[in-house]
Amino acid sequence: MEARDILRQSPLFADIAEAAIEALAAHARLIDVRSGAQVVARGSMPDHVYIVATGRLRAMLADGRIAGTIPRLWPSGEISAVLGEPHTADVYAIRDSVLVELPTAALLHTMGQFPESMLRLTRLIVQRLRQNAGRQALAAVRQRGTIAVVPATPDMPARQIAERLCRHLGAGARLVCAATVDAELDGACSALREHDDAEAERRLTEYLNALEVQDTQIVYLAERADAWARRCIAQADRVLVVSEAGRVLADEAMLDLLRDSQSRAPVDLLMIRPDGAPAPTVLDWRSRCGAGAHYYLRLDRETDFARLARQLSGRGVGLVLGGGGARGFAHLGLFRALQELGIPVDVTGGSSMGAFLAGLLACGRSVDDIRMIARDTFVTHNYLNDYVLPTISLIRGRKFARHLHEIFGEQMIEELRLPYFCVATNLTRGAAAVRDRGPLYLWIATSMAVPGVAPPVAYNGELYADGAVINSLPTDVMRGLERGPVIASDVSTEGGIAAQGVAGPDPEAVFRLRGEEAPRLLSILFRTATLTSESGVAQRAASADVYLRMPVTRIGMFDWKRMDEIVERGYQHAMQQLQGQREKLFAI
């Protein structure tokens, strides 16, 4: 591996003159960076530009948010270098990496000697700045990063899971374990296990780096806590820890090794969980592993491995459902269209009415069942009529919460096989609150608690209400999960309530208005509560890969009796918009 070859392959230097590449290569050098090491400090001046030869970097903002992931061949620091401004983020190595280090002065001097190349470079940087941030994130996730599969305890079937995962990742996936490396390198891994062998270490490093340079998905397998497991974790862009539902951790050797590695690679928990088995300890396991997410696997279900592979490779479909009262019935039409078109849903979430319907989908209910439950809840019966003296709200909300409890039972969000989240509004802090754990029925009820209509929910000394107050279409939350393309179903309407034909100003005109156009108390309350959220819909829609603005104009928030009409509208629109999108969706 040479610096000039990496420079040639990097998109940053695509199509620039070969003489310019040679001039840059004369000043470039390869450097090794250990997992967790800082490459760039926020606020520092850009002395160097870095290109990832092997490995992966992560940029972190001052508030701890992830600014971006930098995979193989992508640059870091090039924008600050060209602008001559301090770095805006800290950059760390997620795993052991090899970088091309290029002095900024040499870059600018060389580009000055080749004006056409400088113009080309500037255009590429401008294009990257203009590119939709969601598309940038998705492209980074879809870069073929390395995966390490390690067992929480030695008796976990890590090999079986790694082999099946490889099959579903596709023909380009390759399983690498200690035995295969020993066969290739005359026992290099065995030499490392027995004693500190510098020569074996060098050969192993060169061999693994050469593997990763190929356009191949590498899945490293470690079956016990040893030197090879340490190497797998150091080489991994993502670590998968295999455990089993209900298992009590007795041997912590592997988790100790993972903690001691100081790797910044994201850790996910793979929990083997047969049908009907509870998973009461999943959050404890996540805490022990330092896992940011978990996936449930049934060893007899290939569909579980297919869904896992899609999400790990950035091809998991995330479905976001917006809030909008009765207009949310249009989501039911979308469910039917997705089913008929064979588009799988791998993770789902929403606000308000979207939270309710996404919750039913996450519970594994069929499309027909969901429609029946929605009809029973909002059309056949009225669970929103336990009116109280309106000192806090119009209704007590007890009947509706009790009904949701009957639907969802004691199901906990973290135990759902289909990953799910809902959004509530923290009225105390004036901020969105994403709920991905806790009682499903209770957080759905909270996400649907329109201020003024239903009372806010108290939790840890703070008050929570309808998620649509702050974020009625949480595509930003879904994008942050980094699972793949995002489909967003928006049932908000432009314009909202109005007083048609009244010139005014007339403070009593609303009392004289009649018909469908006349504003009602509940509509006024909901419109007032969600003004802030609706002002940001355009920005959140832009971060979706497929955005469906459902045809729900002239549908009132509480037009429950028009359910069949709304469902059909949603279905026809979704079929029209999604026809022919399946292949494009997975190619985004």
Side-chain angles (χ1 to χ4, degrees):
M1 179 168 53
E2 295 186 7
R4 61 171 41 82
D5 295 327
I6 302 302
L7 294 175
R8 286 193 188 97
Q9 297 174 60
S10 174
L12 185 62
F13 301 113
D15 299 328
I16 72 171
E18 181 64 22
I21 291 287
E22 291 296 334
L24 291 172
H27 299 279
R29 68 185 184 110
L30 294 174
I31 61 171
D32 294 312
V33 180
R34 287 296 182 187
S35 174
Q38 187 172 31
V39 177
V40 169
R42 180 173 50 87
S44 64
M45 292 305 294
D47 297 328
H48 296 86
V49 172
Y50 299 93
I51 310 293
V52 180
T54 65
R56 190 168 291 226
L57 308 179
R58 173 165 288 169
M60 305 290 293
L61 299 176
D63 60 4
R65 288 183 296 123
I66 298 173
T69 301
I70 306 163
R72 181 175 176 268
L73 300 179
W74 283 31
S76 174
E78 79 288 358
I79 296 176
S80 294
V82 171
L83 296 179
E85 296 179 352
H87 294 291
T88 58
D90 294 308
V91 178
Y92 298 90
I94 292 179
R95 43 152 293 194
D96 284 1
S97 303
V98 178
L99 310 179
V100 174
E101 183 183 65
L102 183 63
T104 299
L107 170 65
L108 298 179
H109 176 72
T110 302
M111 292 295 99
Q113 292 181 316
F114 298 89
E116 291 184 0
S117 296
M118 184 62 175
L119 180 60
R120 171 66 177 165
L121 178 64
T122 303
R123 285 174 176 168
L124 284 171
I125 291 175
V126 170
Q127 288 172 5
R128 290 187 61 199
L129 289 172
R130 288 179 174 175
Q131 188 181 20
N132 180 288
R135 294 296 181 90
Q136 289 185 32
L138 185 57
V141 171
R142 286 193 170 175
Q143 291 285 325
R144 286 181 175 268
T146 58
I147 296 171
V149 178
V150 301
T153 54
D155 58 333
M156 290 293 102
R159 175 173 289 275
Q160 178 186 355
I161 287 174
E163 289 174 346
R164 293 173 71 180
L165 174 60
C166 275
R167 288 202 296 272
H168 285 281
L169 285 172
R174 177 174 179 177
L175 184 66
V176 178
C177 64
T180 59
V181 173
D182 276 347
E184 294 267 349
L185 299 181
D186 300 324
C189 288
S190 299
L192 284 180
R193 281 196 292 268
E194 294 167 4
H195 53 82
D196 187 12
D197 188 327
E199 174 61 20
E201 172 71 22
R202 183 192 63 78
R203 292 172 60 217
L204 183 59
T205 299
E206 290 179 352
Y207 171 75
L208 296 180
N209 285 343
L211 279 183
E212 293 177 16
V213 166
Q214 302 171 18
D215 186 21
T216 303
Q217 173 76 71
I218 302 296
V219 177
Y220 292 111
L221 169 65
E223 298 181 87
R224 61 185 64 83
D226 57 12
W228 170 245
R230 187 177 298 108
R231 166 61 68 175
C232 289
I233 292 169
Q235 291 286 136
D237 295 317
R238 183 175 297 275
V239 179
L240 306 179
V241 179
V242 180
S243 182
E244 186 176 28
R247 174 67 65 94
V248 177
L249 185 62
D251 181 353
E252 294 205 34
M254 184 64 79
L255 299 191
D256 287 341
L257 190 152
L258 180 59
R259 285 188 287 265
D260 292 344
S261 72
Q262 298 185 5
S263 169
R264 287 180 175 264
V267 176
D268 293 335
L269 176 66
L270 302 185
M271 182 162 278
I272 301 169
R273 180 186 171 198
D275 270 327
T281 61
V282 63
L283 294 182
D284 179 56
W285 270 104
R286 279 182 56 167
S287 177
R288 286 171 175 264
C289 300
H294 64 274
Y295 302 87
Y296 294 115
L297 292 174
R298 291 165 290 193
L299 296 181
D300 59 344
R301 298 288 185 91
E302 290 301 320
T303 52
D304 287 2
F305 286 89
R307 173 174 289 163
L308 172 65
R310 285 196 299 270
Q311 294 181 75
L312 292 179
S313 61
R315 286 171 172 76
V317 176
L319 179 63
V320 177
L321 306 180
R327 297 194 293 259
F329 288 146
H331 300 320
L332 297 173
L334 172 60
F335 290 175
R336 178 184 165 194
L338 291 171
Q339 182 180 66
E340 291 182 7
L341 294 171
I343 298 175
V345 175
D346 297 304
V347 55
T348 188
S351 280
S352 200
M353 186 65 162
F356 172 72
L357 296 174
L360 289 169
L361 192 67
C363 286
R365 301 274 194 167
S366 70
V367 174
D368 289 339
D369 281 349
I370 295 173
R371 184 165 181 167
M372 180 182 66
I373 292 169
R375 183 183 301 279
D376 177 71
T377 301
F378 297 104
V379 182
T380 306
H381 299 96
N382 184 1
Y383 295 100
L384 302 174
N385 63 359
D386 52 348
Y387 298 105
V388 294
L389 184 66
T391 56
I392 294 175
S393 60
L394 293 179
I395 66 172
R396 183 180 298 277
R398 182 183 297 166
K399 283 181 62 176
F400 187 67
R402 184 183 297 125
H403 179 66
L404 291 182
H405 199 179
E406 291 172 356
I407 293 172
F408 296 103
E410 301 299 328
Q411 181 73 65
M412 303 296 282
I413 295 177
E414 64 269 21
E415 292 190 40
L416 295 170
R417 291 191 182 274
L418 184 71
Y420 166 87
F421 68 84
C422 64
V423 175
T425 296
N426 185 317
L427 296 177
T428 305
R429 300 175 184 267
V434 180
R435 311 308 307 182
D436 61 359
R437 60 191 64 187
L440 178 61
Y441 90 91
L442 190 54
W443 284 115
I444 289 178
T446 305
S447 185
M448 302 179 76
V450 180
V453 178
V457 174
Y459 178 65
N460 286 341
E462 298 178 335
L463 295 177
Y464 293 79
D466 195 309
V469 172
I470 291 289
N471 191 344
S472 65
L473 192 69
T475 54
D476 53 334
V477 178
M478 183 66 77
R479 180 66 71 193
L481 298 179
E482 297 185 336
R483 306 291 177 87
V486 176
I487 300 175
S489 180
D490 183 5
V491 293
S492 63
T493 60
E494 297 178 355
I497 55 177
Q500 297 292 337
V502 179
D506 186 344
E508 296 189 5
V510 292
F511 294 104
R512 297 192 298 271
L513 294 173
R514 297 290 183 268
E516 291 184 359
E517 301 298 328
R520 295 290 181 260
L521 175 60
L522 296 182
S523 298
I524 294 170
L525 286 172
F526 192 88
R527 177 65 174 167
T528 303
T530 59
L531 280 175
T532 300
S533 175
E534 291 186 7
S535 67
V537 165
Q539 180 181 355
R540 291 189 288 272
S543 69
D545 298 290
V546 176
Y547 173 66
L548 301 174
R549 181 88 184 209
M550 289 298 187
V552 289
T553 54
R554 304 180 71 84
I555 299 289
M557 291 293 307
F558 302 97
D559 279 346
W560 307 117
K561 300 297 183 181
R562 299 174 67 179
M563 175 179 175
D564 291 332
E565 173 195 346
I566 300 168
V567 172
E568 184 63 21
R569 283 195 194 187
Y571 168 72
Q572 294 296 339
H573 183 71
M575 288 297 290
Q576 181 182 19
Q577 297 297 311
L578 293 175
Q579 286 283 5
Q581 288 277 356
R582 192 182 192 283
E583 288 73 21
K584 292 181 181 178
L585 193 64
F586 293 108
I588 288 174

